[in-house]
Amino acid sequence: MKLNTKLFGKIEIDETRIIYFEDGIIGFPDMKRFLLIHDEESDNHFISWLQSIEEPTYALPIICPLDVLEDYKPSIQNELLSSIEPYKIEDLALFTSIRVPSNIEDMTSNFRAPFIINSETQKACQIIIEDDRYPVRFPIYEILKEKKENHIKEGE
């Protein structure tokens, strides 16, 4: 299957890698099929993309929240994960969306509405966390900038 995307141009899709959100994602309930893309050419290897299959112009930047907040451990009720069953904890990948405003230094990640992907079944869901420790707009620019600088230093 081929998909003509806005950000990545024409890409070949291995249909076994399509991630399925039974209920869509927040704000886009009709978008249910996505591809997880890691942009190797990007300056920031922490950022990945959820590329919509239904809407090729839509790609959402995402990040593993543990890459910017090591003690991110939200409490998640089992019933919120019913759409991705059966699962083993070790097969679950956790991501949060990234908001990139016109001033990139104001970049944030939504720690209240993570995506959980079952890497074994390719089923996914987005949940809402009721925990005031995790904001909707967690600042990540400075953290990513520092990690990138450290990565460059380590590569020298």
Side-chain angles (χ1 to χ4, degrees), residues 22-61:
E22 183 176 305
D23 300 317
I25 62 174
I26 295 171
F28 301 95
D30 295 333
M31 288 189 208
K32 298 182 184 289
R33 298 180 309 141
F34 289 83
L35 192 63
L36 182 59
I37 297 176
H38 305 286
D39 188 2
E40 283 83 24
E41 296 177 18
S42 171
D43 286 343
N44 196 325
H45 63 278
F46 293 104
I47 297 174
S48 297
W49 298 83
L50 272 180
Q51 171 63 58
S52 172
I53 304 294
E54 286 92 358
E55 181 53 58
T57 61
Y58 183 82
L60 179 66

Side-chain angles (χ1 to χ4, degrees), residues 1-3 10-14 17 35:
M1 178 177 171
K2 290 186 190 262
L3 187 65
K10 286 186 181 181
I11 57 174
E12 184 76 32
I13 297 175
D14 175 353
R17 292 187 53 229
L35 192 63

Side-chain angles (χ1 to χ4, degrees), residues 53-141:
I53 304 294
E54 286 92 358
E55 181 53 58
T57 61
Y58 183 82
L60 179 66
I62 59 173
I63 193 166
C64 175
L66 297 171
D67 285 338
V68 290
L69 184 63
E70 292 176 8
D71 63 349
Y72 182 75
K73 293 182 181 101
S75 177
I76 300 171
Q77 293 80 23
N78 287 336
E79 61 268 10
L80 294 176
L81 303 178
S82 63
S83 66
I84 63 171
E85 290 180 335
Y87 64 86
K88 292 183 244 164
I89 295 295
E90 61 268 17
D91 292 334
L92 301 182
L94 187 65
F95 294 95
T96 54
S97 62
I98 297 174
R99 177 183 158 271
V100 184
S102 57
N103 179 0
I104 196 166
E105 293 181 6
D106 293 331
M107 182 187 321
T108 59
S109 188
N110 183 349
F111 280 14
R112 279 278 178 99
F115 301 99
I116 302 171
I117 300 171
N118 183 336
S119 61
E120 189 65 30
T121 64
Q122 297 300 98
K123 293 179 183 178
C125 63
Q126 185 177 22
I127 62 171
I128 302 291
I129 294 175
E130 301 295 333
D131 187 334
D132 291 338
R133 294 178 301 163
Y134 304 118
V136 171
R137 292 191 174 164
F138 183 85
I140 64 172
Y141 177 80

